[in-house]
Amino acid sequence: MIEVLTTDSQKLLHQLNTLLEQESRCQPKVCGLRLIESAHDNGLRMTARLRDFEVKDLLSLTQFFGFDTETFSLAVNLLDRFLSKMKVQPKHLGCVGLSCFYLAVKSTEEERNVPLATDLIRISQYRFTVSDLMRMEKIVLEKVCWKVRATTAFQFLQFYFSLIQDNLPFERNGLNFERLEAQLKACHCRIIFSKAKPSVLALSIIALEIQSQKCVEITEAVESLQKHSKIHSRDLTFWQELVSKCLTEYSSNKCSKPNVQKLKWIVSGRTARQLKHSYYRITHLPTIPETVP
């Protein structure tokens, strides 16, 4: 597919190449993530369950404020980079998570949409102070070597989707980006996916969606992108199976999901008037949407 490209596709491919070169520079330490996965839940050590709960809270905040998926993806990257390097006590996890979230918001969102730290803490229902948050921000920045920006799976998802869109007629393309975004968010809520390369996770989600929707016309495009990205078929199959399992569990009633309902009760009329963006547009977290026919 990518042998014959439009001018727009050539630009996208050039940007994709840059992402591929940079993706390993700001990723969590896999050995650190494995330590978290192996930790016992005794209330004293960080565990995968606690990490996943924290990420779900960050997803609730993302939905609550109407922030982009890019912001959420970056917040998860910062959190996992920090947790994979530092021994964090569970009692400090909320402050760490909110600090990573705030750094991501200030890095990706428009300045006029960035909430005050006091409002963010209040809506998150934490008891620590703005000084605590700012102090933790500095610690996080030091441990991630002041490299806030990172190459995320969301960025790869955007570029892969755009390249497929540019090189296939719309009527032959059964992919829905909103659905792919929702699937990525679900995966971010599981620590295991932070061990995958962002490019591999993104392409795994697309490949699985093509398979489930029986979009045969796009199979060649994905194979071409896989080859260009130097992703081994074994790796793609491995992560695709994990994504499938995650989405099946996420869709079940047994899986706890992020919920913005608990946030809306503490927003007074006065607070809602003071905040400049979409605090008042509170809705239930949407489920993974059905594919548009």
Side-chain angles (χ1 to χ4, degrees), residues 238-293:
F238 173 80
W239 288 107
Q240 190 175 320
E241 289 175 355
L242 288 179
V243 169
S244 178
K245 182 180 178 182
C246 170
L247 297 181
T248 299
E249 293 174 352
Y250 190 83
S251 299
S252 72
N253 294 327
K254 294 180 181 179
C255 178
S256 64
K257 297 177 178 62
N259 183 9
V260 298
Q261 282 296 90
K262 69 176 184 178
L263 299 177
K264 76 176 184 179
W265 302 112
I266 60 169
V267 183
S268 67
R270 178 182 176 187
T271 302
R273 287 192 297 271
Q274 288 174 341
L275 303 180
K276 298 294 185 180
H277 51 293
S278 59
Y279 290 16
Y280 58 90
R281 292 186 294 125
I282 305 167
T283 59
H284 289 286
L285 179 70
T287 56
I288 295 175
E290 298 294 334
T291 302
V292 176

Side-chain angles (χ1 to χ4, degrees), residues 51-65 67 72 75-76 79 93-94 96-102 124 126 258:
R51 177 269 180 200
D52 291 353
F53 275 135
E54 181 61 27
V55 171
K56 288 176 183 177
D57 283 345
L58 298 187
L59 181 52
S60 294
L61 285 171
T62 302
Q63 292 290 144
F64 182 78
F65 287 106
F67 291 147
F72 172 62
V76 173
L79 177 64
L93 180 58
V96 172
L98 199 64
S99 297
C100 293
F101 181 76
Y102 205 28
S124 303
Y126 287 121

Side-chain angles (χ1 to χ4, degrees), residues 27-44:
Q27 294 305 309
K29 294 172 63 177
V30 174
C31 59
L33 296 177
R34 286 175 179 159
L35 284 175
I36 295 173
E37 288 180 312
S38 63
H40 296 294
D41 199 351
N42 58 10
L44 300 175

Side-chain angles (χ1 to χ4, degrees), residues 55-277:
V55 171
K56 288 176 183 177
D57 283 345
L58 298 187
L59 181 52
S60 294
L61 285 171
T62 302
Q63 292 290 144
F64 182 78
F65 287 106
F67 291 147
D68 292 336
T69 302
E70 181 183 4
T71 300
F72 172 62
S73 202
L74 179 58
V76 173
N77 171 274
L78 287 167
L79 177 64
D80 286 332
R81 283 161 64 191
F82 186 80
L83 293 180
S84 67
K85 288 184 176 181
M86 302 295 295
K87 292 183 178 180
V88 177
Q89 294 183 25
K91 65 181 179 180
H92 296 141
L93 180 58
C95 192
V96 172
L98 199 64
S99 297
C100 293
F101 181 76
Y102 205 28
L103 286 169
V105 169
K106 290 185 285 188
S107 179
T108 60
E109 299 289 336
E110 293 184 18
E111 186 176 353
R112 61 186 175 85
N113 290 334
V114 177
L116 296 175
T118 49
D119 292 325
L120 186 59
I121 293 171
R122 182 184 177 194
I123 290 172
S124 303
Q125 304 180 60
Y126 287 121
R127 295 184 181 276
F128 50 78
T129 65
V130 172
S131 296
D132 294 330
L133 184 67
M134 296 300 104
R135 189 159 50 247
M136 185 60 74
E137 265 198 8
K138 185 177 179 182
I139 294 172
V140 171
L141 284 170
E142 289 174 349
K143 295 305 175 183
V144 300
C145 303
W146 298 84
K147 296 177 181 178
V148 175
R149 301 294 302 187
T151 302
T152 64
F154 176 72
Q155 292 172 312
F156 279 106
L157 198 68
Q158 282 184 310
F159 280 104
Y160 287 147
F161 180 80
S162 296
L163 281 164
I164 292 171
Q165 288 281 92
D166 280 3
N167 290 275
L168 279 177
F170 179 78
E171 62 273 10
R172 292 174 58 197
N173 189 345
L175 292 179
N176 179 304
F177 190 71
E178 181 185 357
R179 180 177 167 84
L180 295 173
E181 266 189 291
Q183 292 173 345
L184 176 62
K185 290 175 185 176
C187 289
H188 275 324
C189 292
R190 301 289 179 88
I191 191 173
I192 190 171
F193 292 105
S194 292
K195 294 190 293 185
K197 282 186 175 182
S199 58
V200 177
L201 177 56
L203 199 61
S204 297
I205 291 172
I206 292 176
L208 180 65
E209 182 66 6
I210 288 172
Q211 187 180 90
S212 64
Q213 299 298 330
K214 297 181 173 58
C215 304
V216 182
E217 296 86 353
I218 316 177
T219 302
E220 184 181 346
V222 171
E223 291 175 351
S224 184
L225 288 171
Q226 176 189 344
K227 181 179 179 181
H228 182 84
S229 302
K230 298 180 180 179
I231 297 173
H232 198 285
S233 296
R234 182 180 55 203
D235 292 334
L236 189 64
T237 300
F238 173 80
W239 288 107
Q240 190 175 320
E241 289 175 355
L242 288 179
V243 169
S244 178
K245 182 180 178 182
C246 170
L247 297 181
T248 299
E249 293 174 352
Y250 190 83
S251 299
S252 72
N253 294 327
K254 294 180 181 179
C255 178
S256 64
K257 297 177 178 62
N259 183 9
V260 298
Q261 282 296 90
K262 69 176 184 178
L263 299 177
K264 76 176 184 179
W265 302 112
I266 60 169
V267 183
S268 67
R270 178 182 176 187
T271 302
R273 287 192 297 271
Q274 288 174 341
L275 303 180
K276 298 294 185 180
H277 51 293

